[in-house]
Amino acid sequence: MAAEIKREYNLEVTDDQCAKAKSKLIKEKKASHEAHFSRIWDYQAEIFQSNKESKFEIETIPGATIGSKQRFYRLYVCFNSQVLAWKETCRPIIGLDGAFLKWDIKGHLLAAVGRDGDNRIVPISWAVVEIENDTNWDWFVSHLSQNLGLGDGRNVAIISDKQKGLVKAVHNLLPQAEHRQCARHILDNWKRDSHDKELERMFWKIARSYTMGEYADNLEELKRYNPNALASLHKTNPPTWSRAFFKIGSYCDDNLNNLNESFNKTIRQARKKPLLDLLEDIRRQCMVRNAKRSIVAERLKTRFTKRAHAEIEKMIKGSQHCTIYMARNNLYEVELNRTNYRVDMNEHTCGCRKWQMVGIPCVHAACVIIKRKEKVQDYVHEYYTTIMWRKTYKDGIEPVQGMQLWPRLNKLPVLPPPWRKGNPGRPSNYARKKGKYETSSSSNNTKLTRLLRVITCSNCKEEGHNKASCTNVSVESQPKRPRGRPRKYQEGLTEGVGSQRQCVSQKQGEGLQSQDVSQGEGSQRQEEGL
């Protein structure tokens, strides 16, 4: 600190002054956290007063004695306007993820995010917990399921990474839900030890395959290129991240958890702030986002959203390369790239599965629709319409007053979680891999663990005890091998020389006998040469 102050400001300070400044800063940080946690009940009352029917649940750990302060455990926030917007106008898909808080005390933020008609994020609910574990994820998913009325999850798709607690929670509480894994996380773990760009290209071809035939062909290509890579890829459970296995009905072909990644990026500065400032920043961002998008939606004069129109135009342009063959009963056969697809205009389906999976006609369906002299826009799902997009942001989050104007409940203040020990934030992922018997408690610890270690007595050379408790007869140690690597074709000779040196040194002076031995060694080398 003293060197940094000297370099930046050209001021001389002592170590004691730096220590006092650091202690003062730590005390101020602790005081700010304690002040925020002490007003958490008042903030809950303000939320209930300004945003009716919203969910704000706080759980605490009781004190050691009756009447003592409680300690914060976790909280859950879900605004009613966000729930209604998702249930009535958004596609049935939810992204789940957690992000660490950049506090001096432990904390994680769990969030559930939806997607609107313009493929933008719609935050649904969020929670602050001490750590990502099975208990907290079960608690968060159960509250989310109750607020959204998900039931067993048969009508919803979940996207997440492979966090163990999250996977278990979705499996236990939403057993019928389609649980997709983020393909980006799968790829990073799959090619962790390889930087082959060709493997990455093949992986994305497999992940973006819409049909089982296309999926099988891409797997066969990977098998010819690298059989070992294919064997390891099967262990990642491809049905959770390849589009060929996705169910129909979510009108979303996402296999990336970009929903939560985008949300976490918007709150990266809020995650550094104390609890109430964190919650207020997230709420205020959602409130402003709803207001701005409502203005954009009202000004939009097109039938569909901007990104939906871009996708429709892309499909229309691609349909020019298709060849169409008519059949009876509104059935058509479309050829593209030497592959034929069946298009059923009665059921609004295509053999490539993209139409029924996304809700926007694919290039094959667009070719048929144009051939029938109809509009492709008439076959797009209503999720992408401007009317539906306006309903999403019709009623947003209500404003909240400042801390001075909050109701004062005079409830017993809540203590913050235990102070973090060590460095704040997520631990480094670049630690060296530990050995079989090496401790993993600290990355800087190079000592071996005493677990499974077998001790050997230095007195009797037996295992299971040490010299202090040994009652056996002392055993002479074996002679040590000479230093250095033995010369080639002279290993036996070197051992003989070593023993000769030992015997001679026991009888006479070490210096004299070493000279004799070296002379004998030279003569032996000369004889070998002859």
Side-chain angles (χ1 to χ4, degrees):
M1 290 176 63
E4 186 72 12
I5 293 174
K6 174 64 177 177
R7 185 179 66 85
E8 289 289 338
Y9 306 103
N10 196 22
L11 297 176
E12 297 287 346
V13 293
T14 62
D15 292 344
D16 292 338
Q17 290 175 328
C18 293
K20 291 179 181 179
K22 186 175 181 179
S23 301
K24 183 178 180 180
L25 180 61
I26 293 176
K27 290 180 180 179
E28 290 179 356
K29 284 186 175 182
K30 289 185 177 180
S32 64
H33 283 295
E34 293 176 357
H36 278 251
F37 280 94
S38 64
R39 297 295 307 276
I40 191 172
W41 299 113
D42 301 339
Y43 180 68
Q44 181 190 42
E46 174 63 23
I47 293 295
F48 288 154
Q49 182 176 340
S50 59
N51 292 266
K52 307 295 183 181
E53 300 181 4
S54 296
K55 304 295 181 182
F56 194 120
E57 182 175 339
I58 303 172
E59 291 190 9
T60 58
I61 300 175
T65 59
I66 299 176
S68 59
K69 292 183 179 180
Q70 305 175 10
R71 188 172 293 277
F72 176 81
Y73 184 41
R74 56 193 179 187
L75 65 82
Y76 174 84
V77 181
C78 183
F79 289 92
N80 187 49
S81 61
Q82 303 298 104
V83 172
L84 295 178
W86 183 87
K87 292 174 66 175
E88 297 176 359
T89 64
C90 294
R91 286 167 284 176
I93 188 165
I94 301 175
L96 297 178
D97 195 15
F100 67 93
L101 300 178
K102 303 175 184 180
W103 289 353
D104 301 304
I105 52 181
K106 294 182 179 180
H108 278 75
L109 181 75
L110 312 182
V113 185
R115 187 182 287 279
D116 64 6
D118 200 37
N119 286 339
R120 306 192 187 191
I121 61 173
V122 179
I124 303 172
S125 63
W126 48 90
V128 177
V129 298
E130 187 175 357
I131 193 173
E132 273 190 278
N133 55 17
D134 298 355
T135 304
N136 288 331
W137 272 118
D138 285 342
W139 171 78
F140 179 74
V141 174
S142 63
H143 279 69
L144 180 67
S145 176
Q146 182 180 0
N147 293 338
L148 300 180
L150 301 181
D152 57 0
R154 65 178 66 249
N155 297 322
V156 69
I158 305 295
I159 305 178
S160 70
D161 56 10
K162 299 193 69 173
Q163 209 279 339
K164 294 182 179 179
L166 174 55
V167 173
K168 291 180 181 179
V170 174
H171 177 73
N172 296 332
L173 300 173
L174 303 173
Q176 300 299 324
E178 179 188 6
H179 193 184
R180 306 176 185 178
Q181 305 290 341
C182 180
R184 173 60 63 182
H185 291 81
I186 300 293
L187 174 63
D188 292 341
N189 294 330
W190 177 57
K191 69 178 194 70
R192 180 179 300 171
D193 300 328
S194 174
H195 299 282
D196 192 351
K197 292 295 182 181
E198 187 65 19
L199 285 179
E200 183 175 353
R201 184 188 67 82
M202 293 181 178
F203 174 85
W204 286 119
K205 290 180 64 177
I206 296 172
R208 292 164 182 165
S209 301
Y210 283 95
T211 62
M212 294 300 299
E214 187 180 359
Y215 170 79
D217 292 342
N218 293 328
L219 282 184
E220 188 65 26
E221 182 183 357
L222 177 62
K223 182 178 180 180
R224 292 193 298 267
Y225 182 77
N226 192 335
N228 296 330
L230 177 63
S232 62
L233 186 66
H234 280 303
K235 298 179 182 179
T236 62
N237 194 12
T240 61
W241 50 265
S242 178
R243 291 172 179 171
F245 299 91
F246 289 174
K247 296 180 181 179
I248 305 299
S250 63
Y251 298 102
C252 183
D253 60 352
D254 283 354
N255 55 2
L256 297 173
N257 196 12
N258 291 335
L259 296 171
N260 289 88
E261 298 297 336
S262 300
F263 177 74
N264 291 338
K265 185 178 180 180
T266 61
I267 62 171
R268 61 185 183 276
Q269 295 299 329
R271 286 155 53 192
K272 301 178 182 179
K273 301 180 180 181
L275 179 64
L276 297 184
D277 290 342
L278 163 72
L279 298 177
E280 274 295 275
D281 272 14
I282 298 175
R283 181 201 60 81
R284 192 176 296 112
Q285 285 184 16
C286 293
M287 180 182 67
V288 175
R289 183 186 297 114
N290 292 344
K292 289 183 177 180
R293 291 183 183 174
S294 177
I295 296 174
V296 175
E298 291 295 334
R299 293 177 179 176
L300 194 62
K301 302 302 181 182
T302 56
R303 181 179 176 182
F304 298 97
T305 61
K306 183 178 179 180
R307 296 181 182 179
H309 266 294
E311 183 67 18
I312 294 171
E313 294 298 327
K314 181 180 178 181
M315 296 298 105
I316 294 175
K317 184 178 180 180
S319 65
Q320 300 175 0
H321 306 285
C322 299
T323 304
I324 183 172
Y325 303 96
M326 297 180 61
R328 294 293 305 276
N329 301 322
N330 286 332
L331 299 178
Y332 297 85
E333 182 178 332
V334 180
E335 181 182 356
L336 179 63
N337 298 329
R338 298 182 180 181
T339 305
N340 297 339
Y341 300 91
R342 171 194 171 103
V343 178
D344 188 346
M345 298 303 297
N346 296 322
E347 300 294 335
H348 293 182
T349 60
C350 178
C352 70
R353 295 182 72 246
K354 184 176 181 180
W355 186 6
Q356 50 267 39
M357 185 177 295
V358 179
I360 298 177
C362 57
V363 292
H364 320 106
C367 179
V368 174
I369 296 171
I370 295 173
K371 186 70 174 179
R372 289 161 58 99
K373 296 182 180 181
E374 296 179 350
K375 294 182 178 180
V376 178
Q377 290 81 355
D378 296 338
Y379 292 87
V380 179
H381 199 276
E382 62 176 356
Y383 280 129
Y384 301 97
T385 60
T386 303
I387 297 176
M388 191 69 71
W389 197 38
R390 290 170 182 169
K391 291 182 180 179
T392 304
Y393 303 104
K394 180 181 178 181
D395 298 321
I397 299 176
E398 299 293 334
V400 174
Q401 300 190 99
M403 187 180 295
Q404 294 180 350
L405 304 178
W406 291 352
R408 297 186 180 271
L409 304 181
N410 295 325
K411 295 182 67 173
L412 198 64
V414 177
L415 295 175
W419 198 256
R420 180 190 295 274
K421 294 182 179 179
N423 297 326
R426 178 174 294 176
S428 174
N429 292 328
Y430 300 99
R432 178 179 58 82
K433 292 184 178 180
K434 305 300 185 297
K436 183 178 180 181
Y437 300 109
E438 190 175 358
T439 58
S440 58
S441 59
S442 176
S443 59
N444 297 326
N445 189 5
T446 58
K447 294 183 179 180
L448 297 177
T449 178
R450 300 190 68 87
L451 183 64
L452 303 178
R453 180 181 292 183
V454 179
I455 61 176
T456 304
C457 178
S458 61
N459 183 45
C460 65
K461 306 299 184 289
E462 293 184 2
E463 298 179 349
H465 64 278
N466 55 12
K467 184 178 180 180
S469 59
C470 181
T471 58
N472 300 330
V473 181
S474 177
V475 177
E476 185 177 358
S477 301
Q478 295 293 330
K480 293 184 178 181
R481 184 177 179 179
R483 294 183 62 184
R485 192 175 71 176
R487 296 178 180 272
K488 193 174 183 180
Y489 307 119
Q490 297 183 9
E491 295 182 0
L493 177 62
T494 306
E495 293 178 359
V497 173
S499 60
Q500 184 179 3
R501 285 177 178 175
Q502 182 180 8
C503 296
V504 172
S505 61
Q506 291 177 357
K507 294 179 181 180
Q508 298 180 4
E510 181 178 357
L512 180 61
Q513 297 302 328
S514 297
Q515 182 178 4
D516 296 341
V517 170
S518 62
Q519 293 176 357
E521 182 180 356
S523 61
Q524 290 178 359
R525 291 178 180 173
Q526 185 176 7
E527 292 176 3
E528 277 193 357
L530 295 175

